Amino acid sequence: MNPPRYPQGHALLIGVANYQQVTNLPAAILNDAQDVAATLTSPSYCGYESKNVVTLLDSEATRAAVLNSLAELATRAGTDDTACVFFSGHGAVVGPHGAEDSVLVTVDTNLADIEKTSISSDEFAQALSQIKAKRVLVFIDACHAGGAAISKTLTDGKGHEFKSGYSSNTFAKLATGSGRALMASCRASEVSTVFSRARNSVFTTALLAGLKGAADKSNSGFIKLFDLFNYVAEEVPKQIPDGQHPIFKADNLEGNFAIALSQGGKKSAASSLIESSASPEDLWVTLELALIELYPFGPRDQEIWSRAGGDLSRLEFHSTGRAAWHSALRKLKQGGGGRSINFLTLLRIALEDFSNHPTLAAMNSPGN
């Protein structure tokens, strides 16, 4: 039996520790990018396809290569996919006081000509806006402090110096756009801690644990956006009390959408099994909950309603996916929604998309 996969997941991981002309960072920064990539592609954890995950480390992470990889991600990720961008490295604050902006510092950044050799927040935001996926999540782990050697400045040893990190304005800019969200390792006034001899930064340690299943406290079989941030936001301050607080920015999110499998899609017995004696109404409720989870944008998400034989023109418009599903299934139970669609066609099309989803599989069993 093939292990569960999450083929709609795409990611770009960037880690820079050894800069050509800028202060270096701890080796943990490279581990961060590599370990997140390994977790995303593991069939035991997130289930992403290896071909959909690109990693750029140190010399690979030039300004040109990062921009090209973002453009390639925009080409590769479809409308109904999930796209994640992870960056661990330096950020630099630029601009006048009160109107600070930030740049992403690539391996070849020259502080003497920082505007032309780094990636501005406008360039980064523009690259993200080209990604067609309805769900885009950006992770920023920057403004690093290695052990007790806390520094909030970025220098090249030649007299050029910038404040390290990212401004609040930049965080908001990178999260702009429908279905966009940003998770950063710390507030603009804080540092992202890396303990001496630790494999990962404190932020990425918590992120990895969350992606490996700790964030899926309900054992739903999926890592969901808000659950992941809530877990990371609770865990990091346990290690750095009153010193580091992850932040979350989002724009026009429809709900707590899934971004990966949890422990390879493993669900608890209580959540994955449907008793064969369940009433027809119970089955409708269970299908509705599953569809809201898997297609959070409603019956138009991945065109599931049309593929199941339905007619979208017969459905009413609703501002949220949850409301749209409730209305559509109520109409379907009454015989509406299209001549060729019914409970079974909708269930079987969902199973084609998520063949290893335990709840859908149980509903399709002979006993039901």
Side-chain angles (χ1 to χ4, degrees):
M1 179 178 177
N2 293 327
R5 302 298 291 172
Y6 199 75
Q8 63 269 52
H10 297 258
L12 171 61
L13 297 307
I14 305 160
V16 188
N18 299 294
Y19 283 86
Q20 295 174 1
Q21 303 182 61
V22 182
T23 311
N24 288 338
L25 290 168
I29 276 63
L30 301 181
N31 296 336
D32 288 349
Q34 291 175 305
D35 291 352
V36 171
T39 300
L40 288 176
T41 56
S42 171
S44 299
Y45 295 124
C46 296
Y48 281 37
E49 301 285 355
S50 295
K51 65 182 181 180
N52 291 340
V53 177
V54 174
T55 305
L56 300 178
L57 301 176
D58 272 356
S59 61
E60 301 169 327
T62 63
R63 167 184 154 81
V66 171
L67 290 174
N68 287 340
S69 294
L70 286 167
E72 190 273 334
L73 177 62
T75 300
R76 174 162 43 86
T79 304
D80 297 317
D81 291 334
T82 297
C84 298
V85 177
F86 176 93
F87 176 77
S88 185
H90 278 308
V93 179
V94 298
H97 180 69
E100 292 93 347
D101 205 346
S102 307
V103 298
L104 186 154
V105 181
T106 56
V107 71
D108 54 344
T109 294
N110 181 351
L111 298 189
D113 191 16
I114 193 169
E115 291 186 1
K116 294 183 179 179
T117 60
S118 62
I119 298 176
S120 71
S121 62
D122 287 334
E123 287 179 299
F124 198 1
Q126 174 63 21
L128 294 173
S129 73
Q130 298 303 305
I131 300 174
K132 299 181 289 296
K134 296 176 183 176
R135 310 170 190 92
V136 178
L137 178 56
V138 180
F139 300 95
I140 299 288
D141 191 0
C143 199
H144 293 92
I150 296 176
S151 174
K152 294 187 177 182
T153 60
L154 186 63
T155 180
D156 59 3
K158 300 177 182 178
H160 304 102
E161 188 173 289
F162 291 86
K163 180 180 177 182
S164 179
Y166 284 81
S167 70
S168 298
N169 292 336
T170 298
F171 286 148
K173 189 182 298 184
L174 297 181
T176 299
S178 180
R180 266 56 177 165
L182 175 138
M183 194 179 301
S185 59
C186 59
R187 296 170 182 167
S189 60
E190 298 174 336
V191 294
S192 181
T193 302
V194 182
F195 289 129
S196 178
R197 292 188 292 277
R199 177 168 179 81
N200 302 107
S201 72
V202 171
F203 170 76
T204 301
T205 296
L207 176 63
L208 287 167
L211 290 173
K212 289 179 178 179
D216 182 23
K217 295 182 178 179
S218 63
N219 295 316
S220 68
F222 290 93
I223 301 298
K224 298 179 183 178
L225 178 65
F226 297 150
D227 299 339
L228 180 60
F229 175 70
N230 288 338
Y231 175 80
V232 173
E234 290 175 359
E235 291 300 311
V236 169
K238 291 179 182 178
Q239 300 297 317
I240 314 293
D242 301 320
Q244 184 176 344
H245 303 83
I247 65 170
F248 182 77
K249 299 281 186 180
D251 185 24
N252 196 22
L253 294 183
E254 184 159 318
N256 188 21
F257 57 77
I259 62 172
L261 296 181
S262 173
Q263 299 184 67
K266 181 179 179 182
K267 296 170 69 78
S268 67
S271 65
S272 65
L273 294 179
I274 300 175
E275 298 295 334
S276 60
S277 59
S279 69
E281 183 58 33
D282 288 339
L283 292 175
W284 278 102
V285 170
T286 302
L287 178 63
E288 180 175 336
L289 292 174
L291 293 174
I292 290 171
E293 174 187 78
L294 299 174
Y295 305 92
F297 292 92
R300 289 174 171 79
D301 199 341
Q302 301 187 48
E303 299 187 3
I304 183 175
W305 194 263
S306 299
R307 290 189 291 132
D311 183 351
L312 287 170
S313 68
R314 301 191 182 188
L315 302 183
E316 300 172 0
F317 174 79
H318 292 274
S319 59
T320 69
R322 182 180 294 272
W325 273 122
H326 184 73
S327 174
L329 292 181
R330 181 178 58 190
K331 184 180 291 289
L332 184 59
K333 283 190 288 184
Q334 297 170 349
R339 181 177 299 179
S340 302
I341 190 171
N342 56 45
F343 182 100
L344 286 177
T345 64
L346 192 54
L347 172 61
R348 287 169 183 166
I349 291 299
L351 268 170
E352 287 183 9
D353 292 346
F354 301 94
S355 59
N356 293 291
H357 194 283
T359 299
L360 296 178
M363 295 177 72
N364 196 46
S365 67
N368 290 315

